[in-house]
Amino acid sequence: EAGVTQSPTHLIKTRGQQATLRCSPISGHTSVYWYQQALGLGLQFLLWYDEGEERNRGNFPPRFSGRQFPNYSSELNVNALELEDSALYLCASSGNRGAVEKLFFGSGTQLSVL
Amino acid sequence: ELKVEQNPLFLSMQEGKNYTIYCNYSTTSDRLYWYRQDPGKSLESLFVLLSNGAVKQEGRLMASLDTKARLSTLHITAAVHDLSATYFCAVGPIIQGAQKLVFGQGTRLTINP
């Protein structure tokens, strides 16, 4: 069974550009979570999608947005990139809405903003 | 606001020794997770602790939860090099519908031969 897959693995952008990151959850999982892991700051919760809707959001500006598609895959968009957006972006999925029994993480997308 | 603090943040130890990583959290929670992350890799789920006094063990790792003290520990017994990694604890708040985990800063564990 395939795990959570993310693409691309690495992404290099310049300040002011837009970045799009993609995530495919484990088959049968309906919830997708996005986390930012910046150097020295640990993991910060970004967004939670379930059944196609945004359910919760972390303390990030509106230029961080995303969506979830009917097949439960998800996209994270970061507009007007800033240098401090450089980080590893991790996607996770779970199958128990409202339970968060276990999150399964993807390998992440390393975003570098120059 | 829920805060999660781990200590130590860095730990260097010799093979064969025992040590404990501590995870403190600031508000009542109903679940606590431990994850492992190898360099450049994703997070691997180790343990899920759901009740006061819960203890789980796998191999040389044992995790416990004291909800009254708001403290979880990850104990490493007779460490081996393969356990070198960064370990994160994460706590889920008891707020219905607010599905997010708050992670600790991580403990970077290095085990030397």
Side-chain angles (χ1 to χ4, degrees), chain A residues 33 35 37 42-43 45 48 55-59 88 90 97-108, chain B residues 1 31 33 35 37 40-46 48 50 86 88 97-106 108:
Chain A
Y33 303 78
Y35 285 84
Q37 187 177 22
L43 277 82
F45 168 73
W48 169 42
R55 302 292 183 179
N56 203 351
R57 182 182 183 86
N59 295 325
L88 179 67
L90 291 167
R97 183 190 174 191
V100 195
E101 286 302 323
K102 204 169 184 181
L103 291 185
F104 295 84
F105 283 85
S107 300
Chain B
E1 181 187 345
R31 63 203 71 173
Y33 302 77
Y35 286 89
Q37 186 178 36
K41 301 288 181 65
S42 189
L43 275 75
E44 173 191 355
S45 178
L46 293 174
V48 180
L50 299 176
T86 298
F88 291 92
Q99 295 299 323
K100 65 176 183 181
L101 292 183
V102 179
F103 281 79
Q105 313 96 307
R108 184 177 293 181

Side-chain angles (χ1 to χ4, degrees), chain B residues 1-75:
Chain B
E1 181 187 345
L2 175 60
K3 292 186 179 179
V4 182
E5 291 188 352
Q6 288 180 235
N7 74 85
L9 299 184
F10 297 92
L11 178 57
S12 181
M13 53 193 290
Q14 286 185 314
E15 280 191 328
K17 300 290 187 183
N18 304 331
Y19 211 82
T20 301
I21 300 171
Y22 298 89
C23 175
N24 292 273
Y25 53 98
S26 60
T27 63
T28 304
S29 176
D30 59 355
R31 63 203 71 173
L32 189 137
Y33 302 77
W34 283 97
Y35 286 89
R36 167 183 172 147
Q37 186 178 36
D38 291 298
K41 301 288 181 65
S42 189
L43 275 75
E44 173 191 355
S45 178
L46 293 174
F47 302 108
V48 180
L49 303 169
L50 299 176
S51 61
N52 186 43
V55 177
K56 290 196 175 179
Q57 181 167 6
E58 182 158 341
R60 301 174 188 274
L61 300 178
M62 183 174 73
S64 65
L65 178 62
D66 181 344
T67 58
K68 294 179 181 177
R70 297 176 188 164
L71 170 69
S72 179
T73 60
L74 180 66
H75 188 72

Side-chain angles (χ1 to χ4, degrees), chain A residues 14-17 61 63 78-86 113:
Chain A
T14 56
R15 209 167 44 175
Q17 286 188 314
R63 55 191 188 82
V78 188
N79 294 320
L81 284 165
E82 299 179 2
L83 295 178
E84 52 264 36
D85 296 333
S86 295
V113 182

Side-chain angles (χ1 to χ4, degrees), chain A residues 12-113:
Chain A
I12 299 175
K13 294 284 186 179
T14 56
R15 209 167 44 175
Q17 286 188 314
Q18 179 198 36
T20 299
L21 289 63
R22 296 179 178 83
C23 171
S24 292
I26 290 173
S27 177
H29 285 187
T30 61
S31 280
V32 171
Y33 303 78
W34 287 96
Y35 285 84
Q36 182 194 66
Q37 187 177 22
L39 199 61
L41 292 180
L43 277 82
Q44 304 293 320
F45 168 73
L46 261 168
L47 290 159
W48 169 42
Y49 291 96
D50 182 73
E51 299 284 356
E53 293 190 18
E54 181 180 306
R55 302 292 183 179
N56 203 351
R57 182 182 183 86
N59 295 325
F60 282 84
R63 55 191 188 82
F64 286 84
S65 65
R67 53 181 173 167
Q68 186 178 34
F69 300 98
N71 65 354
Y72 302 117
S73 67
S74 177
E75 210 172 72
L76 174 68
N77 295 294
V78 188
N79 294 320
L81 284 165
E82 299 179 2
L83 295 178
E84 52 264 36
D85 296 333
S86 295
L88 179 67
Y89 289 83
L90 291 167
C91 169
S93 74
S94 78
N96 295 318
R97 183 190 174 191
V100 195
E101 286 302 323
K102 204 169 184 181
L103 291 185
F104 295 84
F105 283 85
S107 300
T109 293
Q110 183 66 55
L111 173 63
S112 299
V113 182

